[in-house]
Amino acid sequence: MGIEEFDVFVIGTGTAGKGVAKDCAKAGWKVAIADNREYGGTCPNRGCDPKKVLVGITEIIERSQNMLGLGISKMPEVNWEDLQKFKYKFTGAIPAATEKDLAALGIKMYHQSPKFLDENTLSVEGKTVKTKKIVIATGNKPMPLKIPGAELMLNSDDFLELEKLPESMIFIGAGYIGMEFAHIAARLGVEVTVIDTEPRPLSNFDEDMVAHLTEASEAIGIKFIFNAKASKVEKLRKYLRVTAETKNGEEIFAKAELVFNTAGRVPSIDELELEKGNVAFSNKGIAVNEHLQNTTNPNVYACGDVSNSEGLPLTPLSSQESRVVSANLLGKYNKTEAHYPPQPSVVFTLPNVASVGLSEQQAKERGFDYVVKHKSVPSWFNSKRIANQHYAFKVIKDKETEKVLGAHLVGPDAGEMINMFVMAMCGGLSCHDLKAMIFAYPTWSNDIKGMT
C-alpha cells in the first residue's frame, strides 16, 4: 500500500484540534486527525464539564448546610452512584458524536498518537503518511510525580470515574484541580488531606482572596499540609501512606484509602518524537510565534493548551487559538496574529475564586499609577440572604482613567461575576461608566458597582 498524503494532519481531537480539522475540511482540504484517547478532548470527556456536574450537587449541599435552621430542617442525602449516572449523560455520547461530525466532513480518523519521522512525515497505526501541514493540539496531561510508590496514585481522570467514594483521600497538589476535587469530596463526606510544596493553595491567584478560601476549606474539614514535598507513597494493609518532607527536613506522614496526584499538568507531547520533525518545544509546550507557527518547523502549528503561547490553558482560549491557526492555514499562511484579550480564570470551589487582569504586583512592575479597593463583604445582601460567610473582592484600577486593571473575587457566584469585569476591560469602560449603568437588583452582578 502506498503512502497516503494529506493537506493537513491534526493531532488531537479536543476543542482546538477538531476546530481546525473542520475548518480545513469545509474548505475542501484533505484532512486527517488522530487521538490516542477517546475523541472530543479533555474538557467534555474528563475535565471542565463532568467536574462542573459534580460541583452542582455540592452547591446544593453547601446552600442547605448554610441555611440549616433558617428554613432548611433536614440535609439532603446524596447518592454517588446516581450522580455518576447523571454525569455520564453529559460525557457518554461525546466520543461517538465527535467522530460522527468529523466523518460527515470526510476527515480520515486515526486512533493512535502519531510519531514524527521527518518534518512532513508521520507514522501512525503502522502506516506512513505525508502531509503538507501539521497541527499539534494534544493538550495537557497530569504531570507525573517521580517518587517511590507513584504507581499507587490516581489522577483526576480516576476521580471522575470513581464507582464509590472512600472514607478518606489525599490530594498531592493544591492547584485548581486539587482544590476543586478536594471540595467535592469533603462536601460529600470524605476525610480530605491536601499536601502542597507552597505555603498556601492556588499560588497563581490573589493571596488575600485565597486566604478566604483556605478558611472556608478548613471549615468543611479539609486538612492542609503546606511547605511539604511528597517523597514516597507506601501501601499499608488498608491505607496508603504518604511521606512528605518539609523545607527544614522534617518528615510528615498522612494516610488515606486513596491518593491523587494533582500536582499540575504538562504538555502532552512525549509520544510525538518531535525532535525527528525539527519541532522546537520546551516544558511549557510547542514553541510558537505570533501566528502560532512553530519556530523551527514552518509546516507545524500548535494551538490550545499544548502551545507555548500567551493564552492560558483554558477551553475558551483553545477555541480562539484554533480560529487563528485555521485563518493562517486557509488564508495562505500567516496573515493572522494571535491576540489575547483579558483572560478570566475561575476555581470552582465553594466559594469560587476568580481573577482577571493584573495583580497588585504586576500593576506595580508595569509602572501603573493605580489604586486598590479591597473589602470583605459577607454582610452585603446577596451573601447575607444565603447565610454565606465568605465574600470579598480586590479591584485594581488606573488612578487617572479609572479603568479596571485587574479584578480578584471570592464568593458564591464569583465565576459569573468575573465576566462583568471582563466585559468592562474589553470595552474600555471606566469604573465611573460601570457605576452609571443600571443593573437588575438584587443580583450578584449589581454588586460590582460597589466594588469599583
Side-chain angles (χ1 to χ4, degrees):
M1 183 180 292
I3 295 175
E4 192 161 9
E5 298 186 6
F6 297 96
D7 294 313
V8 62
F9 196 110
V10 180
I11 309 173
T13 62
T15 301
K18 68 182 180 183
V20 175
K22 288 180 177 181
D23 289 342
C24 291
K26 289 174 183 177
W29 285 28
K30 188 177 182 182
V31 180
I33 195 166
D35 206 315
N36 62 351
R37 298 197 62 171
E38 66 272 22
Y39 271 41
T42 296
C43 188
N45 281 311
R46 54 188 180 275
C48 332
D49 292 356
K51 170 198 71 183
K52 196 71 184 291
V53 173
L54 301 186
V55 169
I57 201 77
T58 65
E59 290 172 334
I60 296 170
I61 294 170
E62 192 239 11
R63 181 73 65 87
S64 300
Q65 184 68 58
N66 288 348
M67 295 297 292
L68 200 60
L70 302 175
I72 295 293
S73 58
K74 183 180 179 181
M75 287 295 292
E77 295 183 7
V78 175
N79 185 300
W80 176 259
E81 290 79 11
D82 288 345
L83 178 59
Q84 285 286 48
K85 290 176 184 176
F86 179 59
K87 183 209 73 180
Y88 187 73
K89 291 181 179 180
F90 295 86
T91 61
I94 295 296
T98 303
E99 292 197 37
K100 183 179 179 181
D101 289 346
L102 296 171
L105 292 169
I107 297 170
K108 178 68 177 288
M109 290 177 282
Y110 294 92
H111 295 81
Q112 187 187 74
S113 180
K115 300 180 186 300
F116 277 83
L117 298 178
D118 60 38
E119 291 192 355
N120 289 90
T121 311
L122 301 169
S123 174
V124 59
E125 294 184 356
K127 305 175 183 70
T128 299
V129 299
K130 288 278 189 182
T131 179
K132 296 173 184 175
K133 301 294 176 184
I134 299 168
V135 176
I136 301 174
T138 48
N140 288 342
K141 65 178 184 178
M143 178 177 71
L145 282 177
K146 298 178 181 179
I147 60 175
E151 71 280 359
L152 299 172
M153 294 187 290
L154 303 176
N155 59 33
S156 58
D157 295 2
D158 301 309
F159 181 94
L160 291 169
E161 296 300 325
L162 287 175
E163 294 183 1
K164 62 179 182 177
L165 288 175
E167 294 180 0
S168 55
M169 293 181 183
I170 295 171
F171 294 91
I172 300 177
Y176 73 94
I177 296 175
M179 289 298 292
E180 288 172 343
F181 287 168
H183 266 242
I184 292 169
R187 281 200 164 82
L188 296 179
V190 178
E191 182 182 312
V192 173
T193 301
V194 178
I195 301 172
D196 199 89
T197 57
E198 299 294 326
R200 65 176 179 92
L202 302 170
S203 57
N204 291 334
F205 285 79
D206 181 87
E207 184 173 2
D208 293 317
M209 300 299 103
V210 172
H212 290 281
L213 176 62
T214 304
E215 183 180 326
S217 303
E218 292 173 337
I220 62 171
I222 296 175
K223 178 184 178 182
F224 289 105
I225 300 174
F226 293 130
N227 296 308
K229 184 177 181 179
S231 58
K232 181 169 57 176
V233 181
E234 299 170 280
K235 174 70 175 172
L236 306 180
R237 181 172 298 177
K238 179 179 179 182
Y239 298 101
L240 296 174
R241 181 172 62 193
V242 176
T243 303
E245 295 180 2
T246 66
K247 292 184 178 179
N248 61 11
E250 177 187 359
E251 284 192 336
I252 296 177
F253 303 94
K255 62 181 181 179
E257 290 182 54
L258 298 179
V259 177
F260 291 88
N261 170 15
T262 53
R265 295 176 69 81
V266 295
S268 183
I269 55 177
D270 51 311
E271 295 184 31
L272 300 179
E273 298 189 7
L274 296 170
E275 297 89 346
K276 294 180 180 178
N278 189 33
V279 179
F281 66 95
S282 69
N283 59 4
K284 294 182 179 180
I286 304 297
V288 292
N289 60 21
E290 66 275 18
H291 305 291
L292 300 180
Q293 180 185 40
N294 184 238
T295 54
T296 52
N297 183 344
N299 298 311
V300 171
Y301 291 77
C303 52
D305 297 356
V306 76
S307 70
N308 184 12
S309 66
E310 294 178 31
L312 296 176
L314 302 170
T315 298
L317 273 297
S318 295
S319 300
Q320 185 133 324
E321 291 194 345
S322 171
R323 290 190 289 270
V324 171
V325 170
S326 292
N328 282 322
L329 290 173
L330 300 174
K332 298 307 176 186
Y333 317 136
N334 298 352
K335 295 180 180 178
T336 303
E337 295 184 3
H339 295 288
Y340 298 93
Q343 304 171 49
S345 187
V346 180
V347 184
F348 289 104
T349 47
L350 298 177
N352 299 166
V353 177
S355 177
V356 66
L358 304 181
S359 65
E360 289 182 75
Q361 183 63 31
Q362 289 169 332
K364 182 177 181 180
E365 290 172 353
R366 298 187 188 188
F368 284 103
D369 185 10
Y370 64 92
V371 293
V372 178
K373 190 172 182 180
H374 174 203
K375 285 185 180 180
S376 177
V377 289
S379 61
W380 281 10
F381 176 76
N382 278 313
S383 181
K384 199 172 181 180
R385 69 178 172 81
I386 58 173
N388 170 66
Q389 300 300 312
H390 300 280
Y391 187 26
F393 66 88
K394 180 183 290 184
V395 175
I396 303 158
K397 57 185 179 181
D398 185 275
K399 191 172 185 179
E400 181 180 353
T401 66
E402 283 207 334
K403 290 183 178 180
V404 176
L405 300 174
H408 309 275
L409 312 175
V410 61
D413 242 353
E416 297 293 338
M417 294 175 68
I418 200 68
N419 290 324
M420 300 296 288
F421 286 100
V422 174
M423 291 179 68
M425 294 171 71
C426 289
L429 301 177
S430 69
C431 293
H432 176 77
D433 294 328
L434 290 173
K435 289 178 182 292
M437 294 180 180
I438 305 296
F439 294 123
Y441 178 86
T443 61
W444 289 99
S445 296
N446 186 71
D447 283 359
I448 74 166
K449 296 168 74 171
M451 297 177 178
T452 55

